[in-house]
Amino acid sequence: MRKIMVANPKGGCGKSTLSVHIASWFARHDEIVYLGDLDRQQSSRHWLEARPDNLSPILHWDISGDDFHLPPKHCNFAILDTPAGLHGKRLKDALNIVDKVVVPVSASRFDMLATREFFEELSATKAVRKERVDIGIVGMRIDVRTHAYAQLLEFLKEFHLPMVTCIAQSQRYLQAADTGVTLFDSGASTAIDIQWRPLLNWLVSRH
Ligand SMILES: Nc1ncnc2c1ncn2[C@@H]1O[C@H](COP(=O)(O)OP(=O)(O)O)[C@@H](O)[C@H]1O
Ligand SMILES: [Mg+2]
């Protein structure tokens, strides 16, 4: 079972969007996928409830209690969406059960500053220090041809973390969020595929 957490202390940077897209990609490839949501707003949970029955199934991973119970053994991919401001014990507990952490970062100066503290906290945890957990960055709403991308790369240099891919801004993500579908369900274009592929490959890679 591959266990993936999507986290960043800032709200609105794309955690739930990434979580549901990762889940639906693997579900479409006939994997058994569970999606959990630590966020009190339960965006992924609501998205899951709105998901039409005729689409590839994604199961609900119930993590409402204080302890994290893993999904059943037959699960292939467990995806954990998280709230803004996740830190301290709750972050440590989550890091103890996952193998990969995806951190969406936008090119906004404020987001980068908030993310700096998060990276510092992450790198101080045992799971990350012992390299048991892999961290990958996803530039969210970023076009690689822009100055914003260059700035983000510059910012990331000091942390020695891989920039796995960049996902460009698109209205289609907004529409998908309301209807329980993803861009993969509705037939992604080649351009979308090119943006997501490096992330999906990274998620299945061993470290
Ligand atoms: N690449 C993108 N292009 C356009 N809108 C996006 C993109 N990524 C996320 N959004 C939108 O931004 C808003 C916040 O994203 P969300 O995934 O809910 O962030 P978080 O879970 O980190 O709070 C949502 O309305 C979502 O549809
Ligand atoms: Mg969210």
Side-chain angles (χ1 to χ4, degrees):
M1 186 193 313
R2 174 115 305 176
K3 290 151 284 177
I4 300 160
M5 166 163 84
V6 183
N8 181 302
K10 281 288 279 190
C13 63
K15 293 179 289 292
S16 299
T17 305
L18 275 175
S19 303
V20 301
H21 277 78
I22 292 168
S24 106
W25 171 268
F26 290 116
R28 277 179 69 80
H29 286 76
D30 298 327
E31 304 284 2
I32 299 170
V33 179
Y34 278 74
L35 177 63
D37 195 346
L38 280 183
D39 196 342
R40 255 193 271 158
Q41 287 179 16
Q42 296 277 295
S43 330
S44 302
R45 176 84 193 270
H46 293 142
W47 176 87
L48 204 51
E49 280 165 5
R51 187 164 173 79
D53 288 341
N54 61 332
L55 297 179
S56 337
I58 298 170
L59 299 152
H60 173 56
W61 172 12
D62 186 3
I63 34 165
S64 48
D66 277 345
D67 291 327
F68 293 102
H69 293 287
L70 284 176
K73 283 221 163 57
H74 65 267
C75 162
N76 302 121
F77 289 89
I79 322 268
L80 188 57
D81 188 12
T82 65
L86 178 68
H87 73 285
K89 181 174 183 310
R90 200 91 175 123
L91 174 63
K92 259 196 209 114
D93 288 349
L95 284 168
N96 273 336
I97 61 158
V98 297
D99 323 297
K100 300 251 179 193
V101 181
V102 181
V103 184
V105 185
S106 84
S108 126
R109 204 69 219 156
F110 296 121
D111 277 20
M112 288 192 224
L113 291 175
T115 308
R116 173 189 298 276
E117 276 178 32
F118 183 62
F119 285 155
E120 283 165 2
E121 187 174 357
L122 272 184
S123 55
T125 63
K126 207 163 157 193
V128 176
R129 279 204 322 269
K130 302 222 156 180
E131 297 184 0
R132 198 188 53 67
V133 173
D134 245 355
I135 301 168
I137 312 300
V138 171
M140 208 55 177
R141 302 190 209 196
I142 293 178
D143 184 331
V144 293
R145 295 162 300 189
T146 57
H147 180 61
Y149 176 63
Q151 266 188 327
L152 182 56
L153 281 186
E154 191 56 38
F155 166 73
L156 289 175
K157 256 189 202 159
E158 65 180 284
F159 302 106
H160 306 286
L161 294 170
M163 176 74 147
V164 181
T165 194
C166 280
I167 310 292
Q169 170 104 16
S170 164
Q171 284 296 321
R172 292 184 64 199
Y173 291 105
L174 282 164
Q175 292 150 8
D178 294 333
T179 50
V181 300
T182 66
L183 270 58
F184 302 134
D185 294 313
S186 55
S189 63
T190 312
I192 297 289
D193 201 71
I194 288 170
Q195 293 167 34
W196 284 88
R197 189 67 66 159
L199 172 62
L200 301 159
N201 288 342
W202 179 80
L203 288 172
V204 295
S205 66
R206 303 260 152 230
H207 359 217

